[in-house]
Amino acid sequence: MSEAASISPQPAPETRRAPESAAPPSPNWRRGFWSLIVTQFQNAFNDNALKFLVIYIIVAMDFTAGERDRLVFIVSALFALPFIFFSMTGGYFADRYSKRSVVIGTKLGEVGVMAFAIASFAAHNLTMECAAVFLISTQAAVFGPSKYGLLPEVLPERELSWGNGILELGTFLGSIAAVMASGYLAQRFRGREAIAAMMFLGCTAVGLATSLGITHVPAADPTRRFRWNPFGDIGDQWRIMRRDRVLSWAVLGNTYLWFLAALLQLTIVIFGKFVLGVDETHISYLQIALSIGIGAGSFAAGYLSGGKIEYGLIPLGAIGMTAFSGLLAPYGRTLERSETLLALLGFFGGFFAVPLNALIQHRPRAEHKGGVLALANFLSFVGVLGAGGAYYVFSGALHFDARGIFLAGAALTLVMTAYSVYLLPDSLLRLVLWMLTHSIYRIRVVGRDNIPEEGGALFVSNHMSLVDALLLIASTDRPIRFLMFKDIYDLPYIRPFAKMLRAIPISSTLRPRDMIRSLREASDAIRAGEVVCIFAEGQITRIGHLLPFRRGLERIMKGVDAPIVPVSLDGVWGSVFSFERGRFVWKVPRSIPYPVTVSVGKPMPATAQPFEVREAVQQLQTDAYRHRKTRLRTLPRALIRTAHQYPFRFAMGDKRRPRMRWGDALLSAIFLARRLRKTWRGQEMVGILLPPSVPGALVNFAAMLSGKIPVNLNYTSSNETLASCAEQCDLKTVITTKLLLEKIPLKVPAETVLLEEAAAQPGALEKLAALALWFLPGAMLERALNGSTTKSLDDLATVIFSSGSTGEP
C-alpha cells in the first residue's frame, strides 16, 4: 500500500525460468570464461578477415559497378547462408553434446577450411575463394549456439550481462583486428594472398589451444535426436520462443541488429572507395571505428547493467543508432568525421546488443536453450542475407549512393525503434527510470541472489520516500507489480503509466469489497508467477524509522504457495524525495548522486507473520549500516563540517543564552579546548559535572576536539555514586561551575576545575588564534588541538552511566 507512484515492466513472468538441468557455475569460472573469450576472439578474427580479404580482391579487380555490386552481394550471401542452413544443426550439437566438445570440434574443422583457403588463394580462383568463405561461415554457424550457450553455464547469473559485454567486446575487437589485417594484407600481399591465409591458419592453431581450457559442462539433452531437415526444428523452436513476448522481442531486435551491421559493413567499403576516395587501408579504419564503438558500447552496457539484464538500455541504443546513421549522410564528408560518427553509431549499437543477447541466453529453459539460441542465430543471418539483398536493391534498383544507404538505414532503425516501443512500452519507461536512478541515486544491491529466478513471490519493503518503487525496479531485472496508493494511481499524469505497467491500486478508504478485490488481484498475480511488492507500513515514514507492518501481506499470501522476500531500503532517508526536514522534494539534496543500499533478504515461507517479516527487514537495515558507516562522520568532525557549512544557522540555546549559532559554537569549543589543554594533559577520560546547557554542550565538544572522552556525571546522584563513576573511569579532573556547587552540596570525586575560571577573560591573541583555527579543515583542526591522529567511528566517543536505583552505576 504505497504513496509512491509505482511502476514496473511487464514481460510474461510465467515463462521466465531458471535452468533446471544445467549444472551450477563453478566457483572457479574465470579460467573457462576467459578461454572462451580468447577462442571467440580468434574465431571472429578469422571469419571476418577471410571474408573482407575476398571482398577487397573483388573491389580491386577490373569490374563494372554493377558486376562489382553483384559479386559483393554473392560473397555476403555465401557468408550468411551457412548460418541459415546449419544454425539449427549447431543448436542440435549444443544440446546433444557438451558445448565444450562442440567448440573443440569446430576448431579442428577450421584447420581443414584454412588449408582449403590457402589452396584457393594460391590458385587465384575466385570461385574457390568464395567457397572458402562459405566453409568458414559453416564452421562459425555450428560454433555459434555452443559459444553463447556456454556463457550462462560457465558464468554466475549475476555476471551474465557483464560476461556478454566482455564477449561482445572480444568479438568486435576480433573484428577490428580482422578488418585492419585484411585491408593491410590486401595491399601488402596483392597477388600473393596465400601467405595471408597461412597466417590465418596459425591463428586457428591458437584458437584450438585455448578451446581446451574451456570449462567442462554436461550435455543439456543427451537424448535429443538429429533431424536431417535443416529447417525441421525451426517451427518447434519458434513456437517455444513465441510463448515469451520479451524473448520474441529480443530475437527480433537481434535479427535487425545483424541486418543493420551487415548493411553498414558493405556500404562502408563502397563509401570509402568511391565517396571518400581512400585506399583499402583507410577503408579498414572506417570499419575499425565502427567495431571500436560497438566494443566500447558493449563493455559500457555490461558495466552499467549493474549485475542484471538492463533492457532499458535497448531503446537508448536504438535512438543513438538512428541519430548517427542519419548524420553520416550529410556530415560524413571527411575520413576523420566519418570515423567519429561510425564510432558513435557503433557505441549505441553495443548498448542495443548486450541486453538483447543476455535476454536470449537467460530466458529459455535449459533443455530449450540450444534450440532457441540456434533459432536466434538462424534469424540473425537471415538478417545478414537480407542486408546483402537490401544493399543490392538500394544500389542497383533504386540507384542510392552510399550516403543514401546510410539514410535508408537510419529510417529503418527509426521504424524498428518505434515498433519496439509499441511492442514493449515498458522498455522505454525502464530507460527513463534507469537514467533517473543512475543520476540522482547511486544504488548498491546486496543479496540479489535471494531474488527467485522464477515463479511468484511477494516483496515486502520498508517505505522511505516517493521513489522507493523506482529504486526497487532499478535493482532487479524481474518485473514487479506494486500495490499503489489509489489517490496517486488516479493522478492524470500517473494513471496511464500505472495502467500500462499493471500496478494494483489500493487504499484503506475503499469499500471492503474493493479492498478484497485488490488483495485478491495481488494473490492471483503471485500464483501466475509474477513478483508483487507491498510497502507493508501502509505509508511513507515521517520519522525515518520503521513503522509497524499492517496485515495486508498476510491476506495476500493466504492460500498462496510462494515465498515472501524481505527487502530493505537504507540511506533513502535524507534524500529530496523523503520526508526528512518535514517536506518532500523541496529541499537541497545533501549529495548527488545520493548513495542508497537495497538489501534483499532470504525468502521466507508464505505463512510468515507480519511481525516476523518486519524483524527480517529490520535486520537487513542493521546489516546495511556497514555500507552507510563509510559515509558517516565522528561527532567532532560533524560539528566542524556543520559549522563550516552553516555558520549562521541556529545550533543551541538555554535560559541564559537563548540563541547560539553553529559558527559561534565551534569558535567557543576551540577556545575552551585550548584553555583546557594543560588541565586535561595525560588524561584519556575527563569528567564533566554540568547541567544540560550551552556551556555543558560546549565543554563536551571541546573535550572531543581535544581527543578526550567526556564522562558526564549526574549532578542529582549521591556522593557515593559520583565517586564510583570517577573510579571506574579513572577521572583526574572534573569540570563544573561555582554556581552549581553552591546550589547542590556535592563532593566532587576528583580535582575540581571551575568553568568560570577556565573561560575567564580571553585575550586578543587567544581570540585570534581560535579564529585562525576555525578555518582549518576537520582533520587539520583536530590534529592542531590534540596533537595526534583523528579518531574513527569505532572509537569510544563518551561514557554514560545509567541512573539505577540500587547498586553501583
Side-chain angles (χ1 to χ4, degrees), residues 10 16 104 108 218 279 329 355 363 377 413 462 587 624 744 757:
Q10 54 167 347
R16 181 185 176 89
I104 295 172
L108 289 171
D279 57 25
R363 292 190 74 89
N377 213 25
T413 307
N462 59 325
K587 49 184 176 280
I744 305 174
E757 296 175 1

Side-chain angles (χ1 to χ4, degrees), residues 579-615:
F579 198 69
E580 193 254 0
R581 286 177 266 174
R583 57 189 179 274
F584 293 110
V585 181
W586 303 111
K587 49 184 176 280
V588 178
R590 291 179 177 175
S591 63
I592 294 180
Y594 198 88
V596 170
T597 299
V598 179
S599 302
V600 184
K602 292 187 179 299
M604 304 176 68
T607 56
Q609 296 298 305
F611 77 90
E612 295 175 313
V613 181
R614 186 180 185 276
E615 286 179 356

Side-chain angles (χ1 to χ4, degrees), residues 410-427:
L412 290 172
T413 307
L414 181 62
V415 172
M416 178 65 186
T417 304
Y419 180 68
S420 297
V421 172
Y422 167 77
L423 190 65
L424 204 67
D426 47 334
S427 64

Side-chain angles (χ1 to χ4, degrees), residues 357-371:
N357 282 326
L359 283 169
I360 294 170
Q361 294 159 25
H362 186 62
R363 292 190 74 89
R365 293 178 67 98
E367 62 269 26
H368 297 148
K369 193 180 297 290

Side-chain angles (χ1 to χ4, degrees), residues 711-718 720-726 728-729 798-809:
V711 180
N712 286 274
L713 303 173
N714 190 345
Y715 60 89
T716 66
S717 300
S718 65
E720 292 78 8
T721 297
L722 292 177
S724 175
C725 294
Q728 291 182 56
C729 295
T798 187
V799 175
I800 300 172
F801 286 97
S802 63
S803 55
S805 59
T806 60
E808 289 196 358

Side-chain angles (χ1 to χ4, degrees), residues 42 48 112 175 187 205 241 250 254 284-285 320 340 359 384 423 454 469 471 476 503 531 565 656 698 722:
Q42 177 272 319
N48 286 279
S175 299
Q187 280 191 305
M241 184 188 72
N254 188 60
S284 70
Y285 294 164
T340 301
L359 283 169
V384 171
L423 190 65
E454 64 168 338
L471 299 174
T476 177
V531 172
V565 180
R656 290 177 174 272
L698 294 177
L722 292 177

